[in-house]
Amino acid sequence: DLPSIQKRGYLIVGLSADYAPLEFHTTIDGQDTIVGADVAMAKNLASSMGVKLQLKEMQFDALIGALKTHKVDMIISGMSETPDREKQVTFSKPYLEERQVVLIRKSDAKKYHTIADFSNAK
Ligand code: ARG
């Protein structure tokens, strides 16, 4: 809980850093570093708690077990809600909903309506 994290001085966030743009490895100043939107969010959270952030990287499938056995304080790893996970852990409210689109020119809008309209086969 929060008091024990503050006493310890750092928040331990579990993640699997193989999921760009949310968490992934990159090289900064010659140093391998884990970055991404989830990492930025974890940093903000730690700073609002007044503690440092420790990222604990592991296989995605190991995350829930690590949370249940107190190896991490929370998971921030692009994880979605599923009924099986819901049985084991408590979810926050969703913080990201992906709704990306492909964009084309207005002048082409009448010509293309579905993927099939881009096919040679038709
Ligand atoms: N959103 C999907 C899930 O919850 C995939 C997440 C993968 N995340 C990762 N850090 N590899 O199952």
Side-chain angles (χ1 to χ4, degrees):
D1 61 353
L2 183 56
S4 58
I5 292 165
Q6 286 172 332
K7 203 163 146 219
R8 187 204 293 139
Y10 54 98
L11 171 71
I12 308 174
V13 169
L15 83 187
S16 172
D18 55 359
Y19 200 57
L22 297 186
E23 45 269 324
F24 58 102
H25 283 262
T26 193
T27 304
I28 298 174
D29 296 336
Q31 287 264 112
D32 178 56
T33 312
I34 299 174
V35 296
D38 278 351
V39 177
M41 194 170 71
K43 278 186 182 151
N44 276 318
L45 192 53
S47 108
S48 75
M49 296 164 89
V51 299
K52 295 192 174 257
L53 176 65
Q54 179 182 108
L55 296 177
K56 201 171 262 189
E57 191 182 10
M58 63 190 77
Q59 294 292 309
F60 187 75
D61 290 342
L63 286 167
I64 299 233
L67 180 61
K68 290 167 77 176
T69 55
H70 298 256
K71 292 187 178 73
V72 301
D73 297 316
M74 60 180 73
I75 299 167
I76 307 182
S77 196
M79 198 175 286
S80 313
E81 303 156 286
T82 68
D84 179 60
R85 292 169 185 164
E86 169 91 88
K87 280 184 214 135
Q88 306 184 65
V89 294
T90 297
F91 300 143
S92 72
K93 295 202 184 107
Y95 61 87
L96 180 65
E97 186 182 359
E98 290 170 72
R99 263 178 81 83
Q100 273 69 242
V101 297
V102 172
L103 298 84
I104 62 170
R105 281 177 290 281
K106 290 265 188 205
S107 55
D108 285 334
K110 287 135 307 235
K111 284 196 276 185
Y112 307 109
H113 297 283
T114 73
I115 287 288
D117 297 334
F118 293 97
S119 167
N120 284 326
K122 56 171 286 195

